[in-house]
Amino acid sequence: MAKKRIDVMNTSFRDGFQSVFGARVLTKDFLPAVEAAVEAGINHFEAGGGARFQSLYFYCNEDAFAMMDSFREAVGPDVILQTLARGINVVGLDSQSRDIIDLHAKLFKKHGISRIRNFDALNDPENLKYSAECIINNGLEHEMVVTMMDLPPGCYGAHDVAFYEKTLKSFLEAEIPYHRVCFKDASGTSNPDKVYKTIRMARELLPKGTHLRFHTHETAGVSVQCYMAALEAGADAIDLAMAPVSGGTAQPDILTMMHALKGTNFDLGFDINKLLRAEEVFKECMKDYFFPPEASAVSPLIPFSPMPGGALTANTQMMRDNDILDKFPEVINAMGEVVKRGGYGTSVTPVSQFYFQQAFNNVMFGPWKKMAEGYGKMVLGYFGKTPVKPDPDIVKIASELMSLEPTDRCPLDINDEDPEKGIESAKRKLRENQLDETEENIFITAACGEKGLIFLKGNASANVRKVSNKKASNTDKADGYTVTVDGSKYGVTLDGNTAVVNGKKYNIDIMEGLDPSHASPVSAGSAATKDAVSVNAPMPGQVLKIKVKIGDFVRTGDILVIIEAMKMETEIKAQSDGTVSSISVNAGDSVKPGQALVWLN
C-alpha cells in the first residue's frame, strides 16, 4: 500500500523566528535560506503575520509589506505563502474595527500571500466569522483554527476533547467559511492522547475530504509524539521547521520528523541530502544572531504555566533589553494563577501576552495591584466570550482599576464606534503627522499605533540582537544628561550627530578645542531652574508619545509622557502642579528606571 503523503508547512521564517529571536530578524539576512529551501523541494512557507508584522516596525526598522514582497519574489509565483491572523485582532494585540479587518486581508493579498491561518484565542465563533469572510472575499484561502493547550493542574472546564468538539461544532453552526481546518497548540502543552482523540473527533465531525492540520511546539518536549498521534488519527498536514530555528521553543525539525516516520505509512516526500544543504545555508545566514539559551531548551514547567514558544522568547528578549531577566522565573511561576482566574482563554497571542503581562504586573507591583490593559479588557468581555467565566473577584478588580464596566456586546460593534479606531482615525493621525494616506500607511498606523507612526516618520531604530552587537543602535545611545548652567537645567540626549535639548533636535558636530568665531551663548528661556522637579521613568521602556510641550501648565494627574514596556503602555503623570520647563527625552528614546523625562517648575 502506498504511503500517505503528508503536507508540511515550513514555519522557520515566521514561527521559527518568533520562537527563537522574538521575531527580530532582518529580511536581507534570511532570504538566501528561503531560496535554498525552495531548491530543496519545499513549496509551502509561513511568511509573515502574527508577531512578524509588528516586530518589523518595532524592532527591525523594516516594512512588513516590503518583506512579504521580497519573500514572494524569492520563492516565485507558485509556492504557497501563508500568514497568521488573530481573528478580530488581525496582527496586533488589540482588536480592530471592521474596516481595518477587511483592509488587512486586502493588503496581504496585494503583497503576495496565498493563505491566511486565522484563529481566536478565546475560540469565540463571533470573533472569527467576519474576518473569515474578509479573507475569502479578498481572494485568499482561509484556514480556520481551533486553539489548544493543556490547562494547569487543578483547572477544569475547558481544553479537553469535549471542549474542542463543542468549539468545532460552534464554528460549523456559525457557518464560518473555510477551506481548511487547523488545530493549533502554540504552547506545545497538549498531551499526545488528547491530540489523538481530538483529531479523530474532528475527522469524524468534519465533511469528508476536509484538509485537517495539526500545529504544535517542542517547548514541553512532546511535539514529535503529538505529531505522530495526530497523523495516526487522520491529520493530513503538520508544521515543521529547519535548523537552526527548530526544536526548543519552535517546531521540530523536518529531518527529525522524517526520522520518526521511518517504517510508518506516512511520508513527507523530501530528499534528505537537499534538506541538509538547505539547513547549512540557513545556519550560515543566522550565524551572527544571538540565540537565547531558553530558545533551545525543553521546559518541564511549561504545562504548569503555559507560555507559547513565540511569546516566551519575545518576552525574555524584552526583559534582557530592560535588564530585568532575573524576574522571569517569578513571572512564569505567577502565570498559573492568572490563567486559572482569567477564563481559560488559550495561551496564544494575544491572550498569552495578556497572561504574561498580568503575571509581570503581579510580580513587579504586587498581586492584582496593577491591571494589564489587555488582561483587564479580556475578563471584562471586551474581546468576546472567554471559554468559562472569569473569577468574579478579578472582574471586580479590573473594573475598579480600569474604571470600565463589564460588557457582553460584540467587540466589533464596540470597535466600530470607537473614534480612535478604524480607517478614518488612522487617516487623521497620518495627516497630523504629515504622512501619506496610503492604504499600507493606514493599516500600519491602525495595527502598530504610536510605534507605527514613529517608523513612518523615519524615527525608528533597529534593535536586533546579534553576537557582534547584542544591542542595536537605539539602545547604544547615552541615557541622557541633565546639564545645569547658572542654575538652569537642560535635558540633553546624544545620538551620533544629533542632540536633543529640552525635547528639540539639533544637528551637532563636536571638535576638540574652541572656535571663538562660532561660539555663542545658549538661551535659557526654556531651561529648568534650580528649583525644578523631575518626573522620572518608573520602569525601563521606550518613549511612545510626549503629551506636553515646554511652557505648558499642568495639574496633578495630567499625563505628561507615555512609555511602552513589555508591550504595555504606561502613562507618566504629574505628581504636582507646575509649568513644563524642560523635556529630557524624545519619542522613540529608550529610558531606564529613574531617568528624568520632564522637569516642572
Side-chain angles (χ1 to χ4, degrees):
M1 187 175 79
K3 291 188 175 183
K4 180 178 179 180
R5 178 70 175 269
I6 302 301
D7 176 64
V8 171
M9 180 170 71
N10 186 338
T11 58
S12 303
F13 309 104
R14 205 292 302 171
D15 207 335
F17 284 164
Q18 181 178 349
S19 298
V20 176
F21 305 116
R24 305 183 192 191
V25 180
L26 303 177
T27 302
K28 65 180 178 61
D29 291 341
F30 73 84
L31 285 180
V34 172
E35 294 169 349
V38 173
E39 292 175 4
I42 295 173
N43 65 356
H44 186 182
F45 293 86
E46 193 174 32
R52 275 291 289 172
F53 188 86
Q54 287 186 327
S55 67
L56 291 181
Y57 302 102
F58 292 2
Y59 308 115
C60 300
N61 196 17
E62 288 188 357
D63 180 16
F65 293 115
M67 182 276 293
M68 288 186 275
D69 292 339
S70 297
F71 209 122
R72 172 53 72 190
E73 183 178 358
V75 302
D78 300 323
V79 168
I80 299 169
L81 293 187
Q82 183 165 322
T83 59
L84 187 68
R86 303 162 179 163
I88 62 174
N89 290 59
V90 287
V91 289
L93 295 183
D94 198 7
S95 58
Q96 297 290 345
S97 56
R98 287 180 172 89
D99 54 1
I100 294 297
I101 294 170
D102 184 62
L103 183 59
H104 159 256
K106 178 182 179 181
L107 288 175
F108 276 51
K109 172 66 176 178
K110 174 183 175 181
H111 289 279
I113 301 306
S114 319
R115 181 182 304 165
I116 294 182
R117 173 179 290 174
N118 188 35
F119 71 90
D120 176 58
L122 302 183
N123 282 314
D124 185 342
E126 294 304 313
N127 285 351
L128 281 182
K129 186 171 183 178
Y130 180 74
S131 56
E133 293 169 349
C134 292
I135 290 168
I136 289 177
N137 290 342
N138 280 284
L140 293 148
E141 294 183 8
H142 177 231
E143 186 170 287
M144 180 174 70
V145 178
V146 176
T147 58
M148 299 178 66
M149 70 174 185
D150 265 14
L151 291 174
C155 298
Y156 305 95
H159 292 288
D160 53 19
V161 179
F163 171 76
Y164 297 129
E165 182 175 11
K166 178 182 177 182
T167 298
L168 183 55
K169 285 181 177 178
S170 73
F171 288 1
L172 298 176
E173 290 168 359
E175 298 183 339
I176 298 171
Y178 67 91
H179 294 94
R180 292 166 179 78
V181 174
C182 174
F183 283 78
K184 175 182 172 67
D185 183 352
S187 61
T189 54
S190 294
N191 63 79
D193 179 69
K194 185 176 77 171
V195 170
Y196 177 83
K197 292 175 180 176
T198 298
I199 297 298
R200 187 174 62 178
M201 170 276 297
R203 178 55 72 203
E204 294 173 355
L205 187 60
L206 290 165
K208 186 177 181 180
T210 301
H211 185 91
L212 184 58
R213 179 180 294 271
F214 178 67
H215 167 101
T216 192
H217 289 240
E218 177 60 8
T219 323
V222 293
S223 64
V224 173
Q225 296 96 312
C226 286
Y227 275 146
M228 295 292 290
L231 295 177
E232 291 289 348
D236 301 301
I238 54 178
D239 295 346
L240 300 168
M242 299 193 311
V245 300
S246 53
T249 50
Q251 280 70 57
D253 198 282
I254 300 173
L255 293 169
T256 301
M257 200 67 211
M258 290 176 69
H259 181 67
L261 291 176
K262 290 176 181 176
T264 71
N265 294 322
F266 307 108
D267 179 33
L268 303 185
F270 296 119
D271 183 307
I272 290 178
N273 292 321
K274 290 181 178 179
L275 278 175
L276 283 169
R277 287 196 291 273
E279 291 201 347
E280 288 304 313
V281 172
F282 196 15
K283 291 174 186 176
E284 179 67 19
C285 288
M286 296 291 104
K287 68 179 181 180
D288 291 335
Y289 279 76
F290 170 69
F291 284 76
E294 64 273 13
S296 60
V298 166
S299 172
L301 297 179
I302 287 297
F304 298 87
S305 300
M307 172 55 63
L312 191 152
T313 52
N315 286 316
T316 56
Q317 291 282 52
M318 287 187 287
M319 296 183 87
R320 271 193 183 89
D321 290 341
N322 292 316
D323 296 323
I324 51 174
L325 186 59
D326 60 302
K327 296 292 185 181
F328 181 71
E330 293 180 62
V331 176
I332 282 295
N333 288 336
M335 271 193 63
E337 180 188 9
V338 172
V339 174
K340 290 177 183 178
R341 306 183 75 178
Y344 296 163
T346 314
S347 190
V348 59
T349 310
V351 169
S352 58
Q353 198 63 36
F354 300 162
Y355 287 153
F356 188 87
Q357 289 170 344
Q358 190 56 53
F360 177 85
N361 284 350
N362 285 356
V363 168
M364 302 297 288
F365 302 103
W368 309 106
K369 299 297 184 184
K370 179 179 173 65
M371 188 64 60
E373 181 180 9
Y375 187 85
K377 290 176 71 175
M378 179 183 72
V379 300
L380 291 172
Y382 286 85
F383 291 122
K385 296 179 180 178
T386 53
V388 300
K389 291 184 178 181
D391 186 317
D393 290 338
I394 300 304
V395 173
K396 182 180 179 181
I397 292 171
S399 182
E400 292 175 350
L401 290 178
M402 301 178 69
S403 300
L404 194 63
E405 292 297 318
T407 185
D408 57 5
R409 293 187 65 205
C410 172
L412 288 173
D413 292 338
I414 295 173
N415 294 340
D416 284 347
E417 296 168 5
D418 189 339
E420 293 301 313
K421 292 186 176 183
I423 288 176
E424 290 306 314
S425 172
K427 285 183 176 180
R428 171 176 51 78
K429 293 171 185 176
L430 290 169
R431 287 194 296 269
E432 290 172 352
N433 288 277
Q434 298 180 321
L435 295 166
D436 293 337
E437 296 177 40
T438 65
E439 289 185 320
E440 284 80 0
N441 285 359
I442 289 169
F443 187 77
I444 292 166
T445 302
C448 300
E450 291 296 332
K451 295 177 85 169
L453 290 170
I454 289 172
F455 169 83
L456 292 173
K457 289 189 289 187
N459 294 331
S461 300
N463 186 1
V464 175
R465 297 179 68 91
K466 293 193 176 185
V467 174
S468 58
N469 182 21
K470 290 185 180 180
K471 290 192 176 182
S473 59
N474 71 321
T475 56
D476 289 335
K477 299 176 187 177
D479 293 330
Y481 306 90
T482 299
V483 181
T484 303
V485 181
D486 283 339
S488 296
K489 295 178 180 178
Y490 300 83
V492 181
T493 59
L494 301 177
D495 181 12
N497 291 329
T498 301
V500 181
V501 182
N502 290 342
K504 185 176 181 179
K505 286 188 175 181
Y506 298 90
N507 292 323
I508 63 171
D509 184 25
I510 299 175
M511 59 177 287
E512 292 187 6
L514 297 175
D515 184 351
S517 64
H518 291 88
S520 59
V522 178
S523 169
S526 62
T529 70
K530 61 183 179 181
D531 297 323
V533 175
S534 65
V535 179
N536 303 329
M539 65 182 71
Q542 182 184 38
V543 178
L544 286 186
K545 197 166 188 177
I546 298 170
K547 303 284 287 184
V548 293
K549 60 183 182 296
I550 292 171
D552 285 353
F553 178 79
V554 298
R555 297 191 180 279
T556 302
D558 286 351
I559 300 170
L560 306 177
V561 177
I562 298 175
I563 65 172
E564 188 259 5
M566 304 305 297
K567 296 186 179 179
M568 293 183 285
E569 293 185 11
T570 298
E571 297 175 342
I572 310 303
K573 300 179 180 180
Q575 300 301 309
S576 61
D577 296 353
T579 299
V580 177
S581 54
S582 180
I583 300 172
S584 304
V585 292
N586 207 42
D589 286 354
S590 295
V591 296
K592 290 186 175 182
Q595 182 176 336
L597 305 175
V598 175
W599 295 84
L600 300 179
N601 283 108

